[in-house]
Amino acid sequence: MLALDQIKNLLRKQLESIELVPEAIPEMKNTIRIQYNRSIVEPQTGVGFLVAEALAQPITQMTLNSVVSETQIVICDQDTKQAKVVEIGVWIDKLIQKNLEKVMKIPENRTEYLELDKPVLIPSTTCDGQTEWMELTAVTRHLPVGDLVKIKTRSGKEVTATSQKSFLVYNEKEDKLKEKDGKDLKVGDLVGIHLAADKTPLITDLSLRQYLEPTRFIYGSEVKKFKDQYEKDKTGRQVPANWWKQHRNKTFTIALGRNDSIVKSVEQNDFEPGMVYPKISTQVKNKIPETMKLDRELGYIMGLYLAEGYANKTTLIFSNNAPEVLEPVEAWCKNMKVGYHIQVQKNKNFIGATSTDLRIHSTLLAELFIKLMGVGSPNKRIPSEALNGPEEFVVGILDGYITGDGCINKNDGSVCTSSVSKELILGINFLLARLGIMAKMSGTQSKKNNIGSKVILYSHTLNVRNGFAKLFADKIRLTSKDKQAKLETVTRTKKYRHESGKYYKNWKNIMLDPIVEVSTISSKLNADEDESNAMLDRLGPGFSE
């Protein structure tokens, strides 16, 4: 009851400064009724989805109990519709640190509770197997209590949570997902794997401003704001002495240091609204749009970059020997009006090898792709815009990635891909899930490769089999002629005994995935002593064990 008393006291304190006239009471009651109905969550509903170690197909395991701080989740801003992956511990730590005065302390379980000023959206699954994006209105943080339980499923997902009712397990008798104590989990229990969420808050365009900052690059739209304000306020060719300080980074934002520098640059160059330029005025012809449509074409370019691409400060490079694979990149360059050339090299990596590179000469695109998706095989990741971008954009990414770095098994028609970047493979897994396609995750440690590398990184693998391979063939037409031919002649014609796989169960709009390993982890191994002591200090006397 102490927690309830604290909530009441907090509400009393908040209401002390609010005046309410009698005529407004009916409206207030109606508002309370609406807010209450919005907040109702069915018992055992997953209030978010937990992602297996990173960005895999989420398992519906985030109830009001706890997951480890390293767990990554997908959140979406309701206003901007920008989605991103966050590590839940880091995210909550920042929220609580920023709002210490609003944090409510609950002594019973040594918990800090914070109601969000601005609720976020998070994909969620109900106990009846329905999935959609729902509001997350509050977060909690507490010290570890008891041991943790780690499970691994047959599809390769791994989840770590508390030993209390932090797991949702399929109950065949009631035909529902039901809470189950971690300590009671056993091999063979079925947990839900989310495939696609309804009511996805879609975005349709990529805004370059969050990647190419207006303080470092010149935006034509900002130049127009400058010109309009300058013409409005000038007398002759002069503006008031404090004009620059008054308007810079307020009325407009331009990546030049002085008023006279801007005037000179504007007079010498034709900055087109809607385009972004490098800061160096001599490169004014090097420009790209301020926003890009999230369509299949852009998706393919990004997917191929994830598979076969590299970037440095000035150049974006795509490597592939198949002409049909690079042709869409050439067409995109021509449409964007950016310079490129194709380079063919013999014996580049080893004797007898031929390498065909398409090199795009654009500092803007090079930096954009590096910030969006990383650079170097171990560091690549899917762009966050793919989390809730249009389906055609997702299809384009998967086409580009599998065309460049995937294979179609000639015997069973399965689709396979691998990468040394676990974050990338988990991201590709998530995109497949958005299309309703389930994949199995695994990995291998090779001892040698075909180019004689001394350091060989662990390789993370995805396999799409059975009916899900057929669904892949139905949804995604590959640009690679050879791989598409295998989809047509093998995958589409194959007769599978188990459409969803031998061990999985297709239930409602989720997949039920059997647990294959259950292990116990001491919570002390996951507790940071300094952070634990700091949290106890914040909570005050009486909270220590």
Side-chain angles (χ1 to χ4, degrees):
M1 291 300 294
L2 186 55
L4 181 58
D5 290 338
Q6 282 193 296
I7 293 173
K8 289 180 178 178
N9 290 334
L10 179 63
L11 289 173
R12 288 192 185 99
K13 185 175 181 180
Q14 291 176 341
L15 292 171
E16 283 176 358
S17 60
I18 299 176
E19 294 183 1
L20 186 67
V21 295
E23 291 80 3
I25 291 177
E27 183 180 350
M28 181 192 71
K29 287 182 177 179
N30 186 51
T31 300
I32 292 174
R33 190 176 297 110
I34 292 172
Q35 293 296 328
Y36 170 76
N37 288 331
R38 285 180 61 193
S39 70
I40 292 176
V41 178
E42 181 182 358
Q44 301 174 5
T45 294
V47 298
F49 58 60
L50 180 150
V51 186
E53 292 198 339
L55 188 61
Q57 296 173 29
I59 297 179
T60 60
Q61 300 301 332
M62 185 180 291
T63 65
L64 292 176
N65 290 297
S66 301
V67 292
V68 293
S69 63
E70 295 81 10
T71 299
Q72 293 188 326
I73 59 173
V74 179
I75 62 173
C76 180
D77 185 289
Q78 295 197 69
D79 296 331
T80 65
K81 294 184 180 180
Q82 291 296 317
K84 61 181 179 179
V85 179
V86 297
E87 192 171 285
I88 191 169
V90 174
W91 180 58
I92 291 178
D93 285 346
K94 288 181 179 179
L95 286 172
I96 289 180
Q97 187 62 36
K98 187 178 179 181
N99 299 277
L100 286 175
E101 72 285 353
K102 299 178 182 178
V103 174
M104 186 173 62
K105 302 171 184 178
I106 304 174
E108 290 96 315
N109 52 4
R110 302 184 301 171
T111 295
E112 292 173 298
Y113 172 92
L114 174 65
E115 187 171 329
L116 301 182
D117 291 333
K118 187 179 178 183
V120 298
L121 296 174
I122 186 166
S124 177
T125 300
T126 70
C127 62
D128 291 321
Q130 302 305 315
T131 58
E132 63 182 59
W133 290 72
M134 299 173 68
E135 275 193 351
L136 181 65
T137 60
V139 296
T140 64
R141 179 176 67 178
H142 65 78
L143 297 175
V145 179
D147 292 333
L148 302 174
V149 175
K150 180 178 180 179
I151 67 169
K152 183 176 182 178
T153 69
R154 180 165 288 279
S155 68
K157 314 302 184 296
E158 294 181 353
V159 179
T160 303
T162 65
S163 58
Q164 285 74 44
K165 294 183 181 296
S166 292
F167 293 86
L168 292 175
V169 176
Y170 179 67
N171 184 297
E172 186 173 10
K173 185 177 180 180
E174 298 186 30
D175 195 31
K176 284 186 177 183
L177 291 174
K178 299 203 69 174
E179 288 181 338
K180 191 170 186 178
D181 285 352
K183 60 183 176 61
D184 295 330
L185 291 175
K186 62 182 184 297
V187 171
D189 281 344
L190 299 173
V191 293
I193 300 293
H194 170 275
L195 290 180
D198 296 329
K199 302 179 182 178
T200 299
L202 291 176
I203 56 172
T204 58
D205 298 285
L206 166 65
S207 172
L208 271 58
R209 287 176 178 260
Q210 59 182 313
Y211 302 105
L212 305 181
E213 303 89 339
T215 54
R216 294 182 54 241
F217 297 88
I218 298 177
Y219 280 75
S221 57
E222 295 297 321
V223 172
K224 185 178 187 307
K225 293 177 186 177
F226 166 83
K227 291 170 67 175
D228 291 346
Q229 193 67 45
Y230 188 85
E231 290 297 321
K232 179 182 176 181
D233 296 341
K234 74 177 183 178
T235 302
R237 289 182 60 85
Q238 300 296 320
V239 291
N242 65 342
W243 186 87
W244 175 247
K245 183 177 180 180
Q246 178 184 351
H247 292 289
R248 187 187 185 192
N249 296 330
K250 297 169 187 172
T251 307
F252 53 80
T253 301
I254 296 181
L256 292 172
R258 291 165 38 206
N259 181 28
D260 55 350
S261 298
I262 298 179
V263 173
K264 183 178 179 180
S265 183
V266 168
E267 289 176 345
Q268 292 178 346
N269 301 289
D270 182 19
F271 294 110
E272 181 183 346
M275 305 298 288
V276 58
Y277 303 79
K279 185 176 179 179
I280 302 173
S281 60
T282 56
Q283 296 183 9
V284 71
K285 292 183 179 180
N286 185 357
K287 61 182 179 180
I288 58 176
E290 292 184 14
T291 60
M292 296 182 182
K293 199 74 175 175
L294 295 174
D295 54 17
R296 176 159 183 160
E297 180 184 40
L298 182 60
Y300 176 81
I301 302 299
M302 290 185 174
L304 192 62
Y305 171 80
L306 291 171
E308 311 264 47
Y310 181 78
N312 53 38
K313 289 184 177 180
T314 61
T315 311
L316 196 57
I317 306 165
F318 296 84
S319 299
N320 198 287
N321 289 325
E324 76 270 15
V325 174
L326 294 182
E327 284 171 2
V329 185
E330 282 193 80
W332 184 69
C333 290
K334 291 176 182 177
N335 185 51
M336 294 280 288
K337 298 180 180 179
V338 295
Y340 73 94
H341 79 276
I342 295 177
Q343 181 180 31
V344 179
Q345 300 179 70
K346 300 291 185 180
N347 306 319
K348 180 180 178 181
N349 294 319
F350 52 88
I351 301 299
T354 299
S355 175
T356 305
D357 296 341
L358 188 152
R359 296 173 173 265
I360 302 176
H361 310 295
S362 171
T363 57
L364 297 167
L365 288 174
E367 180 158 343
L368 176 64
F369 273 52
I370 289 173
K371 288 189 174 180
L372 271 171
M373 297 171 282
V375 64
S377 297
N379 308 310
K380 287 185 178 178
R381 61 189 179 274
I382 67 167
S384 60
E385 286 74 13
L387 299 172
N388 60 331
E391 184 172 307
E392 62 171 324
F393 178 62
V394 173
V395 168
I397 291 177
L398 293 172
D399 171 19
Y401 187 72
I402 300 300
T403 281
D405 210 11
C407 64
I408 312 300
N409 188 291
K410 64 180 181 180
N411 296 316
D412 63 11
S414 61
V415 182
C416 178
T417 188
S418 62
S419 172
V420 295
S421 169
K422 185 174 184 179
E423 186 176 2
L424 174 57
I425 282 298
L426 292 168
I428 295 298
N429 197 10
F430 180 86
L431 298 189
L432 289 168
R434 280 201 59 190
L435 301 182
I437 300 169
M438 183 177 178
K440 181 176 181 178
M441 299 171 56
S442 58
T444 57
Q445 177 62 67
S446 300
K447 294 183 179 180
K448 61 180 180 179
N449 58 25
N450 60 355
I451 58 175
S453 301
K454 292 183 178 180
V455 178
I456 301 176
L457 300 176
Y458 187 86
S459 180
H460 304 276
T461 303
L462 274 183
N463 278 284
V464 180
R465 297 189 174 103
N466 303 307
F468 290 112
K470 282 190 174 183
L471 183 57
F472 180 98
D474 290 340
K475 295 234 176 187
I476 304 166
R477 182 174 183 83
L478 296 178
T479 300
S480 166
K481 292 180 180 179
D482 177 63
K483 294 173 185 177
Q484 179 59 31
K486 289 179 182 177
L487 285 180
E488 295 288 348
T489 59
V490 182
T491 308
R492 285 182 179 275
T493 59
K494 184 74 175 179
K495 300 296 182 182
Y496 297 107
R497 182 180 301 178
H498 305 283
E499 284 295 310
S500 299
K502 182 178 179 180
Y503 302 99
Y504 310 106
K505 180 177 180 179
N506 195 336
W507 181 68
K508 305 292 179 68
N509 61 347
I510 68 173
M511 291 298 298
L512 296 176
D513 189 4
I515 296 174
V516 294
E517 293 180 19
V518 181
S519 57
T520 300
I521 303 173
S522 172
S523 61
K524 294 181 180 180
L525 297 177
N526 286 271
D528 183 289
E529 185 175 354
D530 291 336
E531 174 56 27
S532 297
N533 292 333
M535 184 173 175
L536 287 172
D537 289 341
R538 288 194 302 272
L539 291 171
F543 279 79
S544 59
E545 290 182 294

